[in-house]
Amino acid sequence: MDEQRHETIALLGPAHPLLSDKEHECLSSYVRKCDRRLMFYLCMGYATDSLNKMALSNAKIAGLTSDLNLRGTDINWALGAYYVGCFVFQLPSNLILKKVRPTYWLSGSIFCWSLVTILTAFVTSARELIWCRFVFGAVQAGYLTGSIYYISFWYPRHMVRRRMGFFFASAGLGGICVGPLCSVLTSMDSKWLPWQRIFVVIGAISLLWSLLGPFVLADYPDTASFLSSDEQQLILKIMEHQNTVASTQQVRFVQVKMALLDFKVWLWTAIDFCANAATQVNGMFGPSIIESHGYSPQTAQALTALTNFMAFSGMASIAYIARILRGSSTAIALSNILTICGFLLALCSSNPSVHILALFVFSFASPQPAAHGPAWQMCNLQGNTKPAMAAAMASAFGGLGPLATAFVYRDEDRPQYTRGHLVCLLMTVACFVVTLVLRRVLAKENRRRDLDCGDLEGMSDEQVQDLADNHPHFRYRL
């Protein structure tokens, strides 16, 4: 326990007062309560988001294409429309979160996308399907970035990465469930078509979960009724030191400008963009890839539980991998190498068994950079507005990566999908290169600050706060 306490103190910064044994126990109690209550709700919410996103890829092989008479790239446009909706509405979403109670914003997002998913069951044309997916992306846009930002002002900086790992891993948990669930729904007899049952049931599941939000979530640590006064005072002291107290601060447009002009934020965004392109292959096309090798739709849907289990395993382990490798950047680079091996395996062989093996490999490795990237970014940003804006930028522009994936995996290329695998291979190589560049930039900046600590004399408290992670005492984590 002493070793863990000293690690906490070191990561909070040398200017932070030493935590006593009582304070350390108080912090542990606070974290346990937040994990069991807030993180559980957020993770299960993200798992239902995964269910809703993957509903279309499973509905596709359950008769959606033939029943709606979809032709050519209609299904690709439907898949891509979701990411366009996310892009359009994600940038302002975290700024709106500063004005709206997080409790209602996050649970309301789940409620809205659940309704859209249910309504998708009643579309009658490709155009209606595409518009439904666009609206689904629009109302879902605030949940991912909102949750990332929400986590950052509830947990001390050094605890964020592990919670982000659990959060992103929950998407894999949803993926594990969606295949077998859709297989059962496809095999049932009812007045609705198989693909309609998929949308209605999955939408209903997440809608019920959304109703619990106002009763489970709390807005801010210093206003949470489930915390003791000692816990509130301690976490407020820590967050004030980190300059991440969200409840008492307003949107600072100077920090919005800082985020837009900070090239490091754009490098993190590039990592997200490239990583997400490969990450979504299994979610969008896993059932189609498996079915193209001769499996029935029900079997293909059931088998995606295994590929999604691989994705879940990869994302659940990110915090431990980063700790073993002593940094998120090294973990991202390693997972990039494994992903490259998976795509090369798929490109260099025409054997169906090898293709399925390749799907397992890049399903395990490719989600890890998409989870490491935001966690790495949030650990390295300070201020009350800059982290929110940077998270929205990375999620919005980074979310355009899967838009490219949606159009390069075409039915006419099955079962090899050479074009799609090649594009994702190149994107993964780009992610690897940008990660190494960013690591070098951060290490160089740390060395510069070690030599020149800067002078804060004459600056007001507000000006010091607006320095955010440009504060001379701040050090970046690699």
Side-chain angles (χ1 to χ4, degrees), residues 64-131:
L64 173 71
T65 304
S66 57
D67 290 336
L68 295 186
N69 196 27
L70 301 183
R71 298 178 180 178
T73 58
D74 285 346
I75 193 68
N76 301 86
W77 279 106
L79 288 165
Y82 161 78
Y83 295 101
V84 175
C86 280
F87 173 74
V88 172
F89 289 92
Q90 213 156 44
L91 277 176
S93 63
N94 273 15
L95 299 182
I96 295 174
L97 181 62
K98 297 288 293 182
K99 300 291 186 180
V100 179
R101 290 182 59 183
T103 296
Y104 296 141
W105 178 258
L106 296 173
S107 58
S109 295
I110 303 176
F111 183 84
C112 290
W113 84 53
S114 302
L115 287 181
V116 175
T117 298
I118 293 172
L119 292 174
T120 306
F122 306 102
V123 300
T124 58
S125 67
R127 176 174 294 185
E128 292 178 0
L129 176 64
I130 292 169
W131 274 110

Side-chain angles (χ1 to χ4, degrees), residues 13 180 182 314 353 377 388 394 409:
C182 290
S353 299
Q377 182 186 48
Y409 281 85

Side-chain angles (χ1 to χ4, degrees), residues 462-478:
E462 189 175 78
Q463 289 174 323
V464 172
Q465 288 181 349
D466 283 338
L467 288 174
D469 50 279
N470 291 327
H471 193 290
H473 296 162
F474 184 86
R475 295 297 181 272
Y476 294 105
R477 300 183 63 165
L478 305 182

Side-chain angles (χ1 to χ4, degrees), residues 180-475:
L181 175 61
C182 290
S183 181
V184 172
L185 293 173
T186 301
S187 304
M188 290 172 58
D189 291 324
S190 76
K191 63 179 181 179
W192 286 334
L193 297 170
W195 61 270
Q196 290 179 313
R197 291 194 292 269
I198 289 174
F199 284 120
V200 170
V201 172
I202 287 178
I205 291 172
S206 55
L207 188 145
L208 290 174
W209 187 253
S210 72
L211 300 179
L212 297 176
F215 304 100
V216 176
L217 296 177
D219 293 325
Y220 305 105
D222 49 330
T223 60
S225 60
F226 66 89
L227 297 176
S228 69
S229 59
D230 289 341
E231 291 166 345
Q232 289 177 331
Q233 291 173 10
L234 177 60
I235 196 62
L236 185 61
K237 178 171 69 173
I238 293 173
M239 292 308 188
E240 284 177 343
H241 174 73
Q242 295 182 172
N243 192 21
T244 53
V245 179
S247 62
T248 59
Q249 297 175 330
Q250 302 299 316
V251 174
R252 297 288 298 167
F253 287 100
V254 65
Q255 293 189 28
V256 172
K257 182 179 178 181
M258 286 174 62
L260 290 170
L261 297 180
D262 190 343
F263 77 98
K264 298 187 295 297
V265 172
W266 287 107
L267 289 177
W268 269 304
T269 300
I271 290 173
D272 263 19
F273 178 85
C274 297
N276 280 325
T279 298
Q280 297 301 325
V281 173
N282 179 51
M284 288 195 290
F285 298 102
S288 298
I289 291 173
I290 296 173
E291 187 205 23
S292 70
H293 290 293
Y295 293 93
S296 68
Q298 292 90 340
T299 303
Q301 289 167 334
L303 285 175
T304 57
L306 299 178
T307 58
N308 283 300
F309 176 76
M310 297 298 293
F312 170 77
S313 301
M315 288 187 287
S317 62
I318 67 165
Y320 304 100
I321 293 174
R323 177 177 294 183
I324 293 171
L325 297 178
R326 297 184 179 278
S328 292
S329 58
T330 309
I332 292 174
L334 177 60
S335 57
N336 284 153
I337 293 172
L338 291 175
T339 304
I340 290 170
C341 292
F343 283 117
L344 287 175
L345 198 62
L347 287 168
C348 295
S349 176
S350 58
N351 188 305
S353 299
V354 175
H355 269 233
I356 299 299
L357 175 62
L359 179 62
F360 273 78
V361 173
F362 61 70
S363 293
F364 170 77
S366 64
Q368 294 182 36
H372 275 295
W376 187 23
Q377 182 186 48
M378 296 309 292
C379 285
N380 283 307
L381 294 176
Q382 280 194 332
N384 68 302
T385 302
K386 185 178 180 181
M389 187 62 187
M393 289 167 59
S395 189
F397 290 101
L400 291 178
L403 185 61
T405 307
F407 289 95
V408 295
Y409 281 85
R410 306 175 303 179
D411 285 344
E412 60 198 68
D413 296 329
R414 43 190 290 148
Q416 293 295 113
Y417 293 102
T418 302
R419 182 197 302 263
H421 291 330
L422 181 59
V423 169
C424 288
L425 171 65
L426 295 176
M427 297 280 265
T428 305
V429 172
C431 182
F432 178 79
V433 173
V434 175
T435 299
L436 297 184
V437 170
L438 180 56
R439 177 187 172 90
R440 183 177 178 85
V441 167
L442 297 182
K444 183 178 180 180
E445 179 63 17
N446 282 344
R447 289 194 297 270
R448 186 191 68 78
R449 293 182 187 182
D450 288 339
L451 296 175
D452 181 12
C453 291
D455 185 9
L456 302 178
E457 187 175 352
M459 297 181 69
S460 66
D461 290 343
E462 189 175 78
Q463 289 174 323
V464 172
Q465 288 181 349
D466 283 338
L467 288 174
D469 50 279
N470 291 327
H471 193 290
H473 296 162
F474 184 86
R475 295 297 181 272

